[in-house]
Amino acid sequence: MLSVSLLAAFPDLVEHALDYGVTGRARERGLWRWRGFGLHEFANDARKSIDARPAAGGPGMVLMAGPLDRALTAAREWHGAAPTVVFLSPDGAPLTQPRVRDFAQAPHLCFVAGRYEGIDQRWIDGNVDAVVSLGDYVLSGGELAAAVVVDACIRLLPGALGDNESTAFESFADDQGGWLDWPQYALTVGDEPLPLGLSGGDHSVIQRWRLKQALARTWRRRPDLLARAKLSLEERALIDEIALESKA
């Protein structure tokens, strides 16, 4: 079972978000467990202070090391072992599917959500194993970012999805080549006709159509993924075909 904990000013933001869908059902099945540690509970003054003014001045406030230390100790005691500590910050490394796969294999993931101007760097240097970012933008806090990463991890746990092959054929999956997924169509009656590549029932034709569509979508939207992908001769030929069709 995967243990997930969160050190944050407002951990309830994450717990409620994970009660639904895949993550909620996986939790009910006992595939993972959750515990939020609100930093205000680990403050040691009457005001329940968790932040202080920045050293040498400046705007905003900075989360102090003391409440974080005590919350991390509580998280260790809850799980019984030291966790992999992940700090959500816009100055971290971009989150990728391979990194999510690594996180999902850890026995205990402890996410740390920043607030205000950030966290005392001394605490980060002494306790954090990975700093990750969801993108080049800034949120009010790291709680919602943590919920996103937890969701991405939980769906990779065996038994979390109805079909375990679902994660093998989607955007960024290793089995998919690392590129984007092909377009999907619902099998319903009375809608507009399906694309020719899907309507004939020939498995080899369908497979080629899906591969070409996935490559075409990636070529148009995320050419950087193709630039670093290890493409087969068939895949290179399909990209040449896509480029010619685009020019036409």
Side-chain angles (χ1 to χ4, degrees):
M1 177 191 293
L2 171 64
S3 295
V4 179
S5 57
L6 172 68
L7 317 184
F10 308 109
D12 287 350
L13 285 173
V14 177
E15 180 166 12
H16 296 319
L18 298 173
D19 279 342
Y20 302 93
V22 170
T23 53
R25 290 192 297 271
R27 190 176 174 189
E28 291 174 356
R29 295 171 188 158
L31 300 180
W32 71 291
R33 62 176 184 155
W34 156 266
R35 179 76 178 271
F37 296 88
L39 294 179
H40 292 282
E41 299 174 17
F42 297 93
N44 60 3
D45 66 345
R47 296 179 59 196
K48 299 293 184 182
S49 302
I50 62 173
D51 54 5
R53 294 190 179 280
M61 304 292 280
V62 178
L63 289 177
M64 299 184 293
L68 286 162
D69 280 335
R70 292 184 283 275
L72 182 57
T73 297
R76 289 194 185 105
E77 292 174 351
W78 168 68
H79 177 72
T84 298
V85 180
V86 182
F87 175 41
L88 286 310
S89 174
D91 60 9
L95 184 69
T96 62
Q97 193 66 13
R99 175 59 69 90
V100 170
R101 290 186 181 278
D102 289 341
F103 287 160
Q105 294 173 11
H108 178 194
L109 285 172
C110 179
F111 293 95
V112 183
R115 275 272 159 183
Y116 318 119
E117 291 301 310
I119 292 177
D120 189 308
Q121 187 63 43
R122 292 166 293 189
W123 191 88
I124 296 172
D125 294 340
N127 296 281
V128 170
D129 298 302
V131 183
V132 297
S133 169
L134 297 190
D136 296 337
Y137 55 90
V138 179
L139 298 172
S140 299
E143 289 90 348
L144 296 180
V148 170
V149 183
V150 174
D151 182 283
C153 292
I154 298 309
R155 63 191 309 279
L156 295 181
L157 298 179
L161 301 179
D163 185 346
N164 287 331
E165 290 188 356
S166 295
T167 59
F169 299 99
E170 59 187 5
S171 297
F172 311 114
D174 293 337
D175 294 345
Q176 178 72 5
W179 46 73
L180 304 182
D181 196 7
W182 55 76
Q184 301 288 348
Y185 295 85
L187 187 59
T188 55
V189 178
D191 288 340
E192 295 181 4
L194 292 170
L196 290 177
L198 293 179
S199 58
D202 187 318
H203 182 73
S204 62
V205 173
I206 293 173
Q207 187 176 26
R208 185 182 187 277
W209 182 90
R210 285 175 169 170
L211 175 58
K212 182 177 179 180
Q213 294 302 313
L215 289 169
R217 176 176 282 183
T218 309
W219 183 77
R220 296 186 184 99
R221 299 180 183 177
R222 291 291 305 275
D224 58 300
L225 296 177
L226 293 179
R228 58 177 181 263
K230 295 180 180 179
L231 300 172
S232 67
L233 291 176
E234 179 189 9
E235 290 159 355
R236 292 183 183 278
L238 284 173
I239 291 174
D240 290 340
E241 187 177 309
I242 292 164
L244 287 174
E245 291 173 355
S246 178
K247 291 179 180 178

